[in-house]
Amino acid sequence: MSPSADVPLLDRRLVFVTGKGGVGKTSVAAALGLLAAEHGRRTLVCEVDAKGNLADFFEAAPNRFKPQELAPGLFGMAMNTEESLKEYLSLQLRVPLIARVGPLARSFDFVASAAPGVKEILTVGKLCFEVRERHYDFVVVDAPATGHVVAQLAAPQAIRELVKVGLVRDQTGWMVEMLEDPAVTGTVLVSAPEEMPVTETIELAHRIRAETNVDLSAVIVNKVLPELFGRGEEEIFRALQEPAHAAALSAAVGHAVGPVLEGAQLAVTLRRSRAEHLTRLRAELPQGLPLLYLPYLFSRTHGVRTTRAVAEALSAELGY
Amino acid sequence: MARSPKDGGAGDEVAVRNLEQLVASREIVVTCGSGGVGKTTSAAAIGAMAAAHLGGKVLVLTVDPAKRLASALGLEAFGNVETRVPPELFAAAGVAPRGELWAAMLDTKESWDGLVRTHAPDIATRDAILANPLYQNITGKFVQSHDYIAMERLYEIHTSGRFDLIVVDTPPTRNAIDFLEAPERMADFFSSRLLRWLIAPYRSRVLTAASKPFYSMADRILGSQFLQDIAEFFILFQTMYDGFVERARAVERTLEDRRTTFVVVSTLESAPVREAEFFIRALRERNFSLGAVVLNKVLPAYLLDDDGAEAARRLSTDPASIAALLPDDLGDPATLARVLREIGDSYLNYRVVAAREAEERAELAGAPDILCAAPFFDSDIHDLGGLLDLGATIWR
């Protein structure tokens, strides 16, 4: 497989964004979509998780299966496998009576709940379809957290192995081709500099390489805390924490600085414990995989302004 | 006249005031919440505290496929079989536990295999099911099967009576209530007409006029071999139907029983809080027992101190004048001023987050009486001592 760096992330057509809960996966997917749209690419962001909150990042009403415009040139939709099947049936089979599709699709959805890979294929199939039909220049997928994404990415190939004949088999061929072409499809893992997210990111990176032929394009480390002190400054901070100096500082400021010094100590400690996890992440990820860093945002809310701030940070990291 | 606790409160439950009393009065504690909020760690901490202070045999069952509990408990690995946490780990943490702590991780595939062995009518059926490619796919990859098997395994362990308390960590499902409804959905599925319909032609080979279009379309889409695999699988599975449905109902009853309580875990970030509120509503609607809410990684209250904020503002806006008032031995004034500004800015930054957290906490709708907050810990929890330290912050 060619190295990921060969094709810049935003030059691809289909990008899966995944990561453990709580790392800010949706925020990164939203920002990536916004960035692409602001560069004039007609973009679709699709959330695959049930109960997703992607639209919140644009202060819009919840996404539905039918796309809505979240920002100029940026569309949002929520995956729904039943709707996806209905659309597929009406397009591919040209079922004469659309009215009959309703209950049939529901029945299939029921079977899909038990039969392996059916929901996954309906999800991935819809996404690949949007790319193939050139409805959008760029499709960002807010993919399910960690392990489940592997099942999704591997679904077309898995179905090909299970289903020997029939329309579904024919249909999976072009999907596999699209997913496995690194010029078209990429995956981005979002992580955070904490113990469990780092452990899971490393595991997932190796699983994607081992269990799928989909290109692993980058790891984005989110919520990186700022370094407070440079060389020589930390000693000054230590000295300020001594009772005599702290008292002198309180007198100079005119207010008790105890909480402020404690707060700075907390910031130093949090930053330090996170730095260890970053070191481990760098050491244990597959060689040559690009790592991008996004700062922790000390903001009050999570609306469209925050999304723009993340997009700007991402833009600087991607050089785009 | 003194009233006995029995007629003092709502229903016949004795009022419990803290997590310790809650856990002491239950046999099953289920933790739920969105991913990344420390749910697994909280479950392990509750289990460790119960083993240390309440006694008895306590099992922490993690159903999270992400294999986290082992590292939090200082165990290299443990599998589907319950493993005792070595008593030496308690000794190393300076605690003489009153009971025993055990841990197990749910291996979905192995649990399914066990279930098939229990319910298959004969050896031939059992082997046919275990060898069926669809069965292997469903149990290995099918995500929702985790939900059901988790609750099933919980039921199995609970009825075995091997443990006095089971603390279960639920899968990090985004569709929060999936695992609660898993037994019901599983029962519905196996008793569905659709399933019988789907299987029928492979039993009788006679298609009725009504069902023919359905099969020809299914054939076109999926291919007949695949359909046949599905049918074979479900025909085999139907032999276990009665046992299965009965079992699913029993699992459901156990979850509804008052010996079970749910603990919702969250941080004070807005998305997890919304998710926690959703859980709270879902549990109440279904009449499950909502015992407590545990808030993790809560920023310290001193960040909201008004005097501190004023001091930070001055440090941030006029560090040079303040530096000039300080003793010379603190270093050159320019560097000192930079340090002072950094300290002030950092406080104000964290204060913004702490204020947001305080608002979220105040707004947390429908929370039960027991609301515990665990602070940010300096380092990650990687041993039993750390778990007990965390547990101590929420226990009483």
Side-chain angles (χ1 to χ4, degrees):
Chain A
M1 201 188 304
S2 60
S4 330
D6 284 3
V7 189
L9 194 61
L10 282 148
D11 288 349
R12 305 192 195 210
R13 313 267 329 271
L14 177 59
V15 173
F16 290 82
V17 179
T18 182
K20 178 179 146 55
V23 299
K25 165 178 72 80
T26 302
S27 145
V28 170
L32 197 59
L34 186 62
L35 188 59
E38 283 178 345
H39 279 76
R41 302 188 69 194
R42 187 179 158 87
T43 301
L44 175 71
V45 194
C46 175
E47 49 188 323
V48 169
D49 270 338
K51 285 176 46 52
N53 62 337
L54 193 137
D56 290 351
F57 292 85
F58 298 96
E59 293 163 40
N63 284 323
R64 294 160 178 275
F65 187 73
K66 189 178 183 305
Q68 64 171 336
E69 194 161 11
L70 297 168
L74 177 65
F75 297 82
M77 68 167 282
M79 183 53 67
N80 174 321
T81 44
E82 190 183 322
E83 294 286 338
S84 172
L85 178 61
K86 271 192 204 171
E87 187 180 274
Y88 175 78
L89 290 177
S90 59
L91 282 170
Q92 301 293 319
L93 298 177
R94 295 179 190 84
V95 176
L97 290 167
I98 288 297
R100 293 177 59 187
V101 170
L104 185 67
R106 266 201 299 284
S107 307
F108 266 108
D109 201 53
F110 207 43
V111 174
S113 295
V118 172
K119 283 203 159 172
E120 284 82 0
I121 200 76
L122 288 169
T123 299
V124 175
K126 165 72 176 170
L127 296 165
C128 289
F129 176 74
E130 294 299 323
V131 174
R132 190 187 68 176
E133 298 300 304
R134 303 198 167 265
H135 291 153
Y136 300 93
D137 303 317
F138 190 59
V139 175
V140 183
V141 189
D142 181 6
T146 60
H148 305 175
V149 77
V150 176
Q152 249 169 28
L153 293 173
Q157 189 57 43
I159 295 259
R160 283 179 77 74
E161 285 160 20
L162 269 172
V163 186
K164 299 299 179 202
V165 290
L167 196 61
V168 165
R169 182 177 168 86
D170 301 341
Q171 288 292 319
T172 49
W174 65 270
M175 285 187 214
V176 170
E177 218 167 90
M178 183 177 275
L179 290 171
E180 296 186 355
D181 181 354
V184 177
T185 304
T187 49
V188 169
L189 306 189
V190 183
S191 191
E194 292 169 48
E195 185 178 5
M196 291 308 173
V198 161
T199 302
E200 287 180 25
T201 302
I202 293 166
E203 270 176 27
L204 187 59
H206 290 286
R207 274 191 70 189
I208 288 178
R209 285 267 163 104
E211 294 172 35
T212 78
N213 292 317
V214 183
D215 181 60
L216 175 59
S217 320
V219 169
I220 296 179
V221 188
N222 197 14
K223 302 187 182 184
V224 176
L225 291 172
E227 181 79 88
L228 253 60
F229 305 119
R231 202 177 293 251
E233 294 178 353
E234 183 133 7
E235 288 77 61
I236 298 180
F237 173 57
R238 294 272 158 261
L240 281 170
Q241 287 177 302
E242 288 161 18
H245 285 141
L249 184 59
S250 291
V253 172
H255 290 272
V257 295
V260 185
L261 290 174
E262 272 191 80
Q265 183 56 51
L266 177 73
V268 167
T269 310
L270 288 177
R271 158 83 197 182
R272 183 154 309 145
S273 69
R274 287 171 171 228
E276 291 162 18
H277 301 307
L278 275 182
T279 309
R280 186 162 59 94
L281 183 65
R282 274 191 291 263
E284 293 181 30
L285 280 178
Q287 287 285 309
L289 184 64
L291 248 91
L292 312 175
Y293 301 94
L294 296 177
Y296 183 90
L297 295 175
F298 294 95
S299 62
R300 285 195 59 75
T301 54
H302 289 295
V304 68
R305 277 183 57 215
T306 312
T307 307
R308 180 150 288 119
V310 178
E312 275 164 22
L314 202 53
S315 164
E317 281 287 284
L318 286 166
Y320 188 82
Chain B
M1 192 177 74
R3 295 208 298 178
S4 74
K6 267 213 147 167
D7 50 49
D12 56 0
E13 281 186 60
V14 179
V16 288
R17 270 170 242 94
N18 58 37
L19 202 55
E20 178 176 37
Q21 291 171 352
L22 176 73
V23 173
S25 66
R26 306 295 171 131
E27 292 172 17
I28 295 173
V29 174
V30 184
T31 61
C32 41
S34 62
V37 298
K39 192 171 41 172
T40 307
T41 313
S42 297
I46 290 171
M49 289 301 282
H53 301 290
L54 300 176
K57 275 181 83 176
V58 179
L59 174 71
V60 176
L61 176 65
T62 181
V63 294
D64 189 331
K67 313 192 178 191
R68 289 182 245 172
L69 192 57
S71 59
L73 283 176
L75 294 174
E76 274 306 302
F78 52 88
N80 215 28
V81 178
E82 300 98 58
T83 311
R84 184 168 179 191
V85 175
E88 301 86 68
L89 290 178
F90 277 97
V95 173
R98 296 183 59 193
E100 298 173 8
L101 181 62
W102 293 65
M105 194 177 70
L106 189 82
D107 180 323
T108 309
K109 169 125 187 67
E110 246 181 71
S111 299
W112 273 108
D113 290 357
L115 204 60
V116 169
R117 287 195 195 96
T118 309
H119 292 292
D122 52 67
I123 291 169
T125 310
R126 182 195 74 190
D127 292 346
I129 291 174
L130 294 178
N132 184 289
L134 255 116
Y135 169 77
Q136 293 184 349
N137 246 290
I138 288 182
T139 51
K141 293 179 190 154
F142 174 42
V143 171
Q144 279 98 322
S145 78
H146 289 299
D147 292 341
Y148 175 70
I149 208 72
M151 295 302 123
E152 155 67 35
R153 182 81 198 289
L154 168 66
Y155 173 78
E156 187 264 316
I157 296 172
H158 181 245
T159 49
S160 78
R162 293 197 297 274
F163 293 92
D164 300 293
L165 173 70
I166 307 168
V167 185
V168 196
D169 160 41
T170 56
T173 166
R174 276 304 292 268
N175 197 353
I177 49 171
D178 270 3
F179 71 92
L180 293 177
E181 291 175 345
E184 193 189 335
R185 274 186 299 140
M186 201 57 81
D188 281 355
F189 184 75
F190 280 102
S191 54
S192 77
R193 256 179 63 199
L194 175 84
L195 197 55
R196 279 196 298 259
W197 215 38
L198 193 66
I199 292 166
Y202 296 91
R203 280 190 165 152
S204 67
R205 301 270 159 209
V206 181
L207 295 181
T208 64
S211 62
K212 197 165 181 184
F214 176 83
Y215 294 111
S216 60
M217 180 169 299
D219 262 9
R220 267 181 79 191
I221 297 169
L222 296 166
S224 51
Q225 178 60 47
F226 184 62
L227 268 188
Q228 213 164 329
D229 279 350
I230 294 183
E232 191 204 56
F233 170 67
F234 286 116
I235 287 168
L236 289 169
F237 236 75
Q238 277 211 325
T239 62
M240 308 195 299
Y241 169 81
D242 290 332
F244 226 91
V245 171
E246 195 187 308
R247 186 79 169 205
R249 299 281 178 233
V251 172
E252 207 175 350
R253 279 196 299 277
T254 302
L255 290 179
E256 286 167 355
D257 194 284
R258 291 293 123 170
R259 287 174 295 177
T260 301
T261 194
F262 290 80
V263 172
V264 174
V265 184
S266 185
T267 62
L268 285 169
E269 288 176 286
S270 63
V273 168
R274 297 291 88 76
E275 191 85 350
E277 286 174 339
F278 180 81
F279 269 110
I280 290 167
R281 270 200 313 278
L283 290 167
R284 289 240 162 90
E285 273 165 19
R286 286 165 184 74
N287 203 27
F288 288 112
S289 156
L290 170 63
V293 169
V294 170
L295 300 172
N296 272 324
K297 302 183 195 171
V298 175
L299 284 173
Y302 62 70
L303 290 169
L304 295 170
D305 185 272
D306 287 337
D307 232 22
E310 195 45 47
R313 253 174 241 125
R314 295 198 181 185
L315 287 169
S316 174
T317 49
D318 196 12
S321 323
I322 295 166
L325 296 171
L326 293 175
D328 295 341
D329 62 332
L330 278 167
D332 82 277
T335 313
L336 178 57
R338 213 163 43 236
V339 170
L340 293 177
R341 169 174 288 144
E342 199 62 52
I343 291 171
D345 285 350
S346 178
Y347 185 87
L348 295 174
N349 275 337
Y350 277 91
R351 183 179 163 85
V352 169
V353 181
R356 189 176 72 204
E357 285 193 351
E359 268 166 44
E360 291 289 359
R361 188 170 176 170
E363 283 171 12
L364 184 66
D369 292 342
I370 305 176
L371 183 68
C372 335
F376 248 116
F377 275 78
D378 285 355
S379 57
D380 294 300
I381 291 166
H382 56 268
D383 59 13
L384 196 57
L387 275 180
L388 291 166
D389 287 345
L390 172 71
T393 64
I394 56 176
W395 197 235
R396 287 201 176 104

